[in-house]
Amino acid sequence: MKRIMSYTRFVLLISLIHYFTISLFSEEWTVPTDQSDKTAPFLFTAESVQKGADLFMKNCQSCHGNPGKANYANMDPSPGDPASEKFQKLTDGDMFYKITNGRGTMPQFKMILSEEDRWDLVSYIRSFHTGYIQPEPEVATMTSSGDRATMTLLYDSLAKMVTISVYTVKNDVKSPVKGAEVLFFIKRYFGNLPVGEGARTNEEGIISYPFPEGIVGDSIGQVALIAQLNESSGYGNAKKTIMVPLGVPTEWVSLTADRAMWNINFKAPVWLILSYSLTVLGVFITLIYIALQIRKIFLIGTDYDDEQSEKS
Amino acid sequence: MEEQDKLHDENQDEHHNEEKKQSRRKFLRDVGIIAGGAVAGGAAMYAGIHYEDSKPPSGERLKLLAQDGKLLEVDAHHVAEVHLPEGELLMKEGREGLPGHKWVMVVDLAKCRNARKCIDACQSAHHLRPEQYHINTLQMKESKKTAPYNMPKPCQHCDNPPCVSVCPVDATFKRGDGPVLIDNERCIGCRFCIAACPYSARVFQWFEPPMAEEDKDLTYNVELNVPQKKGTITKCLFSADRLREGKLPYCVSACPNGVYWFGDEMEDAVTNGTTKETVSFSELLKQNAGYQLMPELGTKPRVYYLPPKNRLFPFEDGIEEEHNG
């Protein structure tokens, strides 16, 4: 009876879990309208499709398989084939949003792939849709490889400011870029830490960036500041690094610097070294003392023997 | 009779004297050899130094980074490359670690859905058997009415490691930059550390390691524990070999669900292995009520956990059945 009970309970539990799983993932993955209407900043070309194909092999193929072959991974929820109708009826903006932000098992590629890379991926996925017509790009001036701006960084030690100037060079003529958004990061061991909000260039194409306080630096407070052009402003993704001595200096003290029970012999606690050495020393002194005493007895014995033999 | 005895005694005395003389001669000869050797050696060293000094300074000054990170300047002609055999070099580097860093890991329990990709990556990197875990995902349920969750559990790389205290041969050791490593060439297999570890993080190689044949010509790397050695301990190493290359640990980069954050406490930054996002370590802990496992033991772990709140995935195993069925 009890067994039957537990069996029914088990079935109930499994079905409940199944229900929740389905209800969680059958939820529509809705993309905000403004994101959905977004279009690629360049026209898709054979070059962008090729770049997208390479990126797809590296980042997507392990789950989504080869587009058109329906050899995607057997997962729940199913990753699906990007060449299928389900994918192709999405707008370019939908695809871009989903690649960028991810959901559940689909990882987000915001920090892994640049915007250009993500659009190249969309162009690759679109290449499996024969009747596809690309909507007119909003920023039509750009190509996949970009009409790029150049950036220079300058540190002013008096004002404690970093000056960023953004300009394009055409026929040896420098023209400042107005209103380009620059994002700031601090270089860290495994990645770049975003700091603060981005800033926009003024009429002269210049940003005076006051370095934020409380950023941890190295032993003398040096910090590597990275300025990067926001790709969405349409001037490429130029990136420059500058060393700024405005961080909070940190002193590294080795975790094995202190004496501790778990440290190497040389760095054991003083009381341990002392008591151990004294104990060992004590044992040896006792042994030597005993040996000396035995020798003494032996000498008394030989003296006694000599006396005896002299007497006889 | 007595005279005979006396004669015998005298004979013996003479013999004794002879022996003494001989040993004195031997002693003098030995001293001579040592002294001669010392003088010759000294002369050679002097000549060597003299030769080094007599070389004209090349005028070229080289800037070198000392092991403690100090910048030094020396004349180019004094510089000689140090060639250590590969094994010795790996061992030396492995013991010293990476100065200037203190590695930390943050595990977000809300994200784990027991995909076990971390385990696969770890086991293939360290050549382990499928039942040997440097990191394992445990199914947790605190009490009858609390909700179950998955918990990845690597070595906690304690700053006050009880396992290292009990090691009688200095085989397992704490490094200045955080990781607790094990030197399989020193380990005698006493398993004291297994008994001492409150997190059950250590594994004993009872059998011949699965890749023993393939690995037999490899140089032992203390930061990777490869080749593995039968009869010794193997344990999570925070992927010390990957940190040296500036890469995230095997488990961290293999996770498909963004469970792991890994970084440097000195920089107050951790990077997510899945999304590659970098955030402030202290902020992450502060905003998500980060905690440590069994902090009451005073082990000071270097692995932090974020509570399993707003879980991404439903718990997918009949954990209740095992206990109540």
Side-chain angles (χ1 to χ4, degrees), chain A residues 111-112 189 216 252 255 262, chain B residues 101 164 176 243 266-267 274-275:
Chain A
M111 307 298 293
I112 302 172
Y189 199 77
V216 177
W252 179 76
L255 289 164
W262 47 263
Chain B
H101 300 283
V164 181
L243 304 182
M266 295 301 293
E267 294 181 337
T274 314
T275 63

Side-chain angles (χ1 to χ4, degrees), chain A residues 6 10 13 17 24 75 105 108 111-112 188-194 216 251-256 261-262, chain B residues 100-103 113 159-161 164-165 174 176 178 243 247-248 266-267 269 271 274-275 278-279 312 321:
Chain A
S6 83
F10 179 72
L13 188 91
I17 287 171
L24 184 82
M75 289 165 80
T105 36
Q108 70 173 55
M111 307 298 293
I112 302 172
R188 295 307 193 202
Y189 199 77
F190 296 109
N192 300 332
L193 176 72
V216 177
E251 200 199 340
W252 179 76
V253 182
S254 169
L255 289 164
T256 53
M261 280 294 276
W262 47 263
Chain B
H101 300 283
K102 283 180 184 177
W103 310 113
R113 68 169 176 109
D159 280 354
N160 182 18
V164 181
S165 294
K174 174 80 180 170
L243 304 182
K247 288 185 191 155
L248 290 164
M266 295 301 293
E267 294 181 337
T271 302
T274 314
T275 63
T278 303
V279 298
L312 262 186
E321 299 314 306

Side-chain angles (χ1 to χ4, degrees), chain A residues 195-217:
Chain A
V195 279
E197 301 283 305
R200 283 185 185 277
T201 49
N202 63 9
E203 299 281 327
E204 286 93 51
I206 283 173
I207 298 171
S208 293
Y209 181 69
F211 193 79
E213 275 176 33
I215 300 287
V216 177

Side-chain angles (χ1 to χ4, degrees), chain B residues 156-169:
Chain B
Q156 305 290 304
H157 295 278
C158 308
D159 280 354
N160 182 18
C163 53
V164 181
S165 294
V166 297
C167 181
V169 290

Side-chain angles (χ1 to χ4, degrees), chain A:
Chain A
M1 188 63 192
K2 206 184 163 199
R3 256 184 118 148
I4 295 169
M5 279 285 287
S6 83
Y7 180 71
T8 39
R9 247 190 339 193
F10 179 72
V11 169
L12 206 74
L13 188 91
I14 292 295
S15 53
L16 259 175
I17 287 171
H18 202 68
Y19 172 75
F20 280 126
T21 321
I22 288 169
S23 65
L24 184 82
F25 290 113
S26 60
E27 256 177 48
E28 269 308 304
W29 189 359
T30 43
V31 178
T33 357
D34 60 320
Q35 296 294 318
S36 185
D37 296 341
K38 213 171 168 183
T39 54
F42 53 84
L43 282 168
F44 297 157
T45 58
E47 191 199 351
S48 72
V49 169
Q50 188 51 49
K51 271 163 75 188
D54 293 344
L55 290 166
F56 190 91
M57 287 306 138
K58 242 192 231 160
N59 297 287
C60 323
Q61 198 225 10
S62 63
C63 289
H64 288 288
N66 301 87
K69 294 197 177 149
N71 57 350
Y72 45 83
N74 181 19
M75 289 165 80
D76 184 27
S78 168
D81 186 339
S84 68
E85 203 204 324
K86 187 188 157 203
F87 279 71
Q88 295 297 342
K89 72 180 182 201
L90 298 169
T91 67
D92 290 355
D94 287 342
M95 279 191 199
F96 184 79
Y97 178 86
K98 291 184 176 187
I99 296 170
T100 306
N101 297 298
R103 184 184 75 153
T105 36
M106 166 76 189
Q108 70 173 55
F109 286 92
K110 205 188 215 160
M111 307 298 293
I112 302 172
L113 298 175
S114 71
E115 275 190 38
E116 195 183 309
D117 288 345
R118 280 174 262 152
W119 282 118
D120 285 337
L121 267 177
V122 174
S123 94
Y124 172 65
I125 295 168
R126 284 302 188 204
S127 70
F128 293 92
H129 185 20
T130 40
Y132 172 73
I133 301 158
Q134 195 188 354
E136 200 62 26
E138 268 173 36
V139 196
T141 50
M142 279 186 70
T143 59
S144 167
S145 49
D147 178 15
R148 292 159 187 283
T150 317
M151 188 165 46
T152 53
L153 302 184
L154 210 73
Y155 172 63
D156 180 356
S157 56
L158 275 178
K160 301 203 166 172
M161 289 260 208
V162 179
T163 312
I164 299 109
S165 58
V166 184
Y167 54 88
T168 51
V169 183
K170 233 174 212 170
N171 309 328
D172 288 343
V173 182
K174 265 194 197 180
S175 44
V177 175
K178 184 196 147 197
E181 195 187 16
V182 176
L183 304 170
F184 297 96
F185 303 89
I186 302 291
K187 193 169 171 14
R188 295 307 193 202
Y189 199 77
F190 296 109
N192 300 332
L193 176 72
V195 279
E197 301 283 305
R200 283 185 185 277
T201 49
N202 63 9
E203 299 281 327
E204 286 93 51
I206 283 173
I207 298 171
S208 293
Y209 181 69
F211 193 79
E213 275 176 33
I215 300 287
V216 177
D218 65 3
S219 57
I220 49 168
Q222 292 257 32
V223 177
L225 178 75
I226 299 168
Q228 186 173 21
L229 269 180
N230 190 348
E231 273 188 299
S232 339
S233 39
Y235 290 98
N237 56 354
K239 192 171 165 185
K240 282 275 165 66
T241 309
I242 190 172
M243 290 303 285
V244 183
L246 297 177
V248 180
T250 48
E251 200 199 340
W252 179 76
V253 182
S254 169
L255 289 164
T256 53
D258 291 338
R259 291 186 174 278
M261 280 294 276
W262 47 263
N263 221 325
I264 52 171
N265 292 349
F266 178 63
K267 279 186 182 166
V270 177
W271 64 263
L272 189 68
I273 295 177
L274 271 181
S275 52
Y276 173 76
S277 340
L278 286 179
T279 312
V280 172
L281 207 68
V283 168
F284 274 96
I285 288 172
T286 314
L287 289 178
I288 291 166
Y289 178 73
I290 291 170
L292 287 176
Q293 292 302 311
I294 291 172
R295 183 167 177 268
K296 228 176 187 176
I297 293 170
F298 174 74
L299 287 180
I300 292 170
T302 41
D303 282 355
Y304 179 78
D305 280 352
D306 287 352
E307 272 167 37
Q308 287 299 313
S309 54
E310 264 168 37
K311 266 181 204 167
S312 57

